[in-house]
Amino acid sequence: MKNKDMENKIKTVVPTLRFPEFRGTEGWIFKSLDSLVKMRKGEQVNKSILRDQGLYPVINGGIAPSGYYDYYNTDANTITISEGGNSCGYVSYITSRFWCGGHCFAVIVQKEINAKYIYHLLKRHEYNIMQLRVGSGLPNIQYSDLRKYSVFSTSIYKEQQKIADCLSSLDDLIEATTKKVEALKEHKKGLMQRLFPAKGKNVPDLRFPEFQGTSVWEEKKLGKIGNFIGGGTPNTTNPEYWDGEILWYTPTEIKNGYLKSSNRKITKQGLKNSSAKLLPKGAILITTRATIGDVAISKKECTTNQGFQSLVVNDSEINLFWFYWIIQHKEELIKKASGSTFKEIGKNEIINIIAYSAKKQEQQKIADCLSSIDELIEATTRKIEVLKEHKKGLMQQLFPKI
């Protein structure tokens, strides 16, 4: 049903969830954006004069700033809607002065309406606003279409304020939790630099008390810590080799962490008739082609394609310690890579890389320390996703659906 038809047929509605003090009051009215806000298209700035850093961000058609500029044309605490590009229709709230670019609308809210309420209202309708885009090469949203877009809105300012405060408090919590994740990642990065010996040293800068003053770390080649195993791809045209029960990984699936499932699986026949090798649970998968040095630990038996050298450590070693060692020394693998079409590092290059190794007890302590931080990062990241889902659900109930 078109917005104009609805405006004629539906006068008022109430949201599914309403704060107690507003229940029984007037319903929400169907209004065009033009009756709630005024919109101004920005001014284009030549890309050549933009900088990576500067006084004022330039907000254009994308989600992130296009660059920075010495001047601003829009005050802080202004809503923007991207006008052009792949992100056209994206709604943002800019808390600092900025330059509103040529592919951006600045939304000016009337004084009798709460600006943060309008931001959350537009964010609730962001998907529908994005559907207003026209054009295939460089899509854009026409001002005439945007101003006519209609929404249900309450005219009670205190209700607007209550909704804005509720959703903004969730935004603040999501932002604070996101910063906590970033801080934990930086803390882990700093710890790893100190828990492994720096270049030219045979002991780390930071050791746990029980290992201070003990022997230096032993120098050894990576080939001495375990067995490096390559992978392979069964014939992709033979259906008998695919859609089985054996996990089969490609480099694009590897993000530093643990692996439990793969995009594709192979059969026992596929394993038997290819150079793929069955790796035990706990194997360290290391990408060696194109993207080099990405690493993960498989939680189950698995196989890989030929873009890997996977490490199965000896019983005298702790696989999680070497997992973190590889993350910390990724650049060493990249430097050893060669190739004209795409970079690749072979097994012979990897097994001859020199490493310094702690005794098993110290390896375990380092692995436990770093993995506990990873667990905290993962738990905090999950909390962010839960908060986002909670906010999404709240928005669906606090704003009436068209």
Side-chain angles (χ1 to χ4, degrees):
M1 185 179 291
K2 294 182 179 179
N3 279 349
K4 188 175 180 181
D5 295 335
M6 292 191 69
E7 199 163 2
N8 291 332
K9 293 182 179 180
I10 301 176
K11 298 301 180 184
T12 63
V13 298
V14 293
T16 305
L17 178 64
R18 205 169 191 187
F19 293 101
E21 59 267 43
F22 305 110
R23 292 170 189 165
T25 60
E26 63 186 62
W28 289 36
I29 304 170
F30 198 61
K31 296 181 177 181
S32 66
L33 288 185
D34 200 37
S35 67
L36 295 170
V37 301
K38 299 302 177 186
M39 286 173 278
R40 169 179 60 82
K41 191 174 179 181
E43 304 170 55
Q44 193 64 19
V45 179
N46 194 311
K47 285 185 178 180
S48 63
I49 63 174
L50 299 183
R51 297 193 296 273
D52 293 335
Q53 294 181 336
L55 290 173
Y56 306 106
V58 176
I59 307 300
N60 229 323
I63 294 174
S66 301
Y68 290 83
Y69 195 37
D70 290 335
Y71 306 96
Y72 71 93
N73 61 5
T74 310
D75 288 327
N77 301 314
T78 296
I79 302 164
T80 63
I81 302 176
S82 294
E83 178 268 352
N86 293 330
S87 301
C88 64
Y90 179 79
V91 179
S92 189
Y93 189 88
I94 312 301
T95 57
S96 62
R97 291 171 171 173
F98 66 98
W99 185 273
C100 184
H103 294 295
C104 181
F105 292 113
V107 179
I108 295 88
V109 181
Q110 299 175 25
K111 289 183 179 180
E112 64 272 17
I113 299 176
N114 185 283
K116 269 296 186 74
Y117 160 79
I118 291 294
Y119 163 69
H120 291 296
L121 176 62
L122 291 175
K123 205 68 179 172
R124 170 71 175 94
H125 286 264
E126 186 175 66
Y127 176 81
N128 290 339
I129 292 172
M130 286 182 171
Q131 304 316 302
L132 298 175
R133 62 178 66 184
V134 294
S136 54
L138 184 67
N140 67 90
I141 293 176
Q142 299 293 312
Y143 171 73
S144 58
D145 293 331
L146 188 58
R147 65 186 289 269
K148 289 186 293 185
Y149 183 82
S150 297
V151 296
F152 285 108
S153 178
T154 178
S155 57
I156 304 172
Y157 187 87
K158 287 185 177 180
E159 186 173 18
Q160 294 177 7
Q161 183 71 60
K162 194 90 172 181
I163 291 169
D165 290 346
C166 172
L167 295 174
S168 294
S169 66
L170 271 174
D171 281 342
D172 292 342
L173 184 55
I174 290 168
E175 183 181 2
T177 311
T178 301
K179 288 180 178 178
K180 182 179 178 181
V181 169
E182 294 306 313
L184 285 168
K185 288 179 178 178
E186 284 300 311
H187 175 59
K188 176 190 166 188
K189 181 180 177 182
L191 263 182
M192 289 180 70
Q193 290 172 347
R194 301 187 67 200
L195 286 172
F196 292 102
K199 190 172 182 179
K201 294 185 176 181
N202 55 12
V203 290
D205 292 335
L206 179 65
R207 294 184 90 173
F208 294 97
E210 59 267 41
F211 304 110
Q212 291 175 6
T214 59
S215 59
V216 299
W217 286 23
E218 180 184 358
E219 179 183 312
K220 60 174 68 172
K221 292 181 179 180
L222 286 184
K224 297 294 184 181
I225 66 171
N227 188 22
F228 284 87
I229 303 168
T233 303
N235 187 334
T236 55
T237 64
N238 191 332
E240 293 183 0
Y241 296 167
W242 296 94
D243 300 322
E245 298 296 325
I246 302 171
L247 302 178
W248 181 81
Y249 290 105
T250 65
T252 57
E253 298 172 73
I254 306 304
K255 308 296 178 189
N256 295 348
Y258 291 96
L259 296 172
K260 297 178 182 178
S261 62
S262 57
N263 293 338
R264 299 191 70 183
K265 295 178 181 179
I266 63 174
T267 63
K268 291 181 179 179
Q269 280 292 101
L271 177 63
K272 182 179 178 181
N273 291 282
S274 72
S275 55
K277 303 291 190 297
L278 190 62
L279 302 168
K281 174 183 175 181
I284 303 172
L285 279 54
I286 309 166
T287 60
T288 57
R289 185 177 289 187
T291 301
I292 295 168
D294 283 351
V295 61
I297 294 179
S298 179
K299 299 285 278 185
K300 300 177 180 178
E301 285 187 337
C302 69
T303 60
T304 71
N305 76 359
Q306 55 272 29
F308 292 82
Q309 284 293 325
S310 298
L311 171 60
V312 179
V313 301
N314 298 330
D315 291 341
S316 59
E317 310 289 336
I318 302 296
N319 70 332
L320 199 53
F321 170 85
W322 290 105
F323 166 77
Y324 288 116
W325 188 96
I326 293 163
I327 292 175
Q328 181 63 17
H329 296 83
K330 179 177 178 177
E331 287 301 315
E332 291 192 36
L333 274 70
I334 294 174
K335 287 177 183 177
K336 298 284 186 181
S338 59
S340 54
T341 306
F342 54 82
K343 296 288 185 181
E344 182 175 8
I345 181 171
K347 179 176 179 178
N348 287 337
E349 287 76 26
I350 294 177
I351 64 175
N352 285 303
I353 291 175
I354 299 298
Y356 284 93
S357 172
K359 294 188 181 299
K360 191 172 184 178
Q361 294 86 345
E362 191 170 4
Q363 287 186 18
Q364 187 67 65
K365 193 82 174 182
I366 291 169
D368 290 344
C369 172
L370 294 174
S371 62
S372 67
I373 298 174
D374 274 341
E375 289 169 5
L376 185 55
I377 290 171
E378 184 179 354
T380 311
T381 302
R382 283 198 302 268
K383 183 179 178 181
I384 294 171
E385 296 308 312
V386 170
L387 287 169
K388 287 180 177 178
E389 283 300 312
H390 176 56
K391 181 191 171 188
K392 181 180 177 182
L394 263 181
M395 290 179 75
Q396 290 171 348
Q397 296 183 75
L398 287 170
F399 295 110
K401 183 172 68 174
I402 292 180

